[in-house]
Amino acid sequence: MGYNFGMLAAVLAGALVGVGIVALLFRLKIMDLTFDERQERARGQAYKYGFWTLMTCLLLYGFSDMVLGRWCDVITGVMLCAAAALIVFGSVCIVKDAYLSLKEKPWTIMTLLIVVALLNLAIGAMHWKSGRMVRDGVLTFGAANLICGLMVLVIMVVYAVNYLLVKREDGE
């Protein structure tokens, strides 16, 4: 029971730190969610694709749990589904040039994402090394940071590839 309260406290502390960082970014005007009509329409499509990805992943997770048995904690399975949906949402937004608002500076946001990815991957590596990621053949909540780090890394790779492709098209 103490372990569960400790995990809850850690999640709440992480959420509070995250909300504080986002609030600071808005206050410093680093993040500004001002999108034009074209971007709003593209983001609406991205939300739709992300939603259907989430629903599909949740069903697949539920069926896999029924067929394979318990292979991961419930919260870890839900995080995997949410990460897949966010990757789809972010990728669609990036391809349709609706990921960053008109007032945001891309390199500032990408630097922030690099920091977030590296921190989560480092914490995930510590969980892996300590053996807290897999217990009795079940993927545990210790994988949460690794999942988040990989999700941000995939979104950054999509952003970089898209940036290079657009740059190449503009050069031709």
Side-chain angles (χ1 to χ4, degrees), residues 50-66 71 73-85:
F51 171 78
W52 287 113
T53 301
L54 179 63
M55 292 298 108
T56 303
C57 286
L58 287 170
L59 283 171
L60 290 174
Y61 165 61
F63 287 132
S64 72
D65 194 64
M66 283 181 1
W71 59 275
D73 286 346
V74 173
I75 192 72
T76 305
V78 171
M79 284 201 65
L80 284 167
C81 296

Side-chain angles (χ1 to χ4, degrees), residues 38-124:
R38 177 193 55 80
Q39 288 178 310
E40 288 289 349
R41 198 169 31 259
R43 289 174 69 82
Q45 280 184 322
Y47 280 121
K48 179 175 68 174
Y49 295 142
F51 171 78
W52 287 113
T53 301
L54 179 63
M55 292 298 108
T56 303
C57 286
L58 287 170
L59 283 171
L60 290 174
Y61 165 61
F63 287 132
S64 72
D65 194 64
M66 283 181 1
V67 173
L68 302 174
R70 187 167 179 242
W71 59 275
C72 72
D73 286 346
V74 173
I75 192 72
T76 305
V78 171
M79 284 201 65
L80 284 167
C81 296
L86 288 171
I87 288 170
V88 168
F89 169 76
S91 298
V92 172
C93 284
I94 289 166
V95 169
K96 294 184 177 280
D97 191 31
Y99 189 66
L100 299 176
S101 76
L102 301 171
K103 297 179 181 180
E104 290 176 327
K105 296 176 183 151
W107 294 111
T108 305
I109 300 299
M110 290 305 119
T111 302
L112 177 66
L113 289 179
I114 289 169
V115 170
V116 168
L118 290 176
L119 284 173
N120 277 294
L121 291 171
I123 294 169

Side-chain angles (χ1 to χ4, degrees), residues 10-23:
V11 168
L12 289 176
L16 286 175
V17 168
V19 168
I21 289 171
V22 169

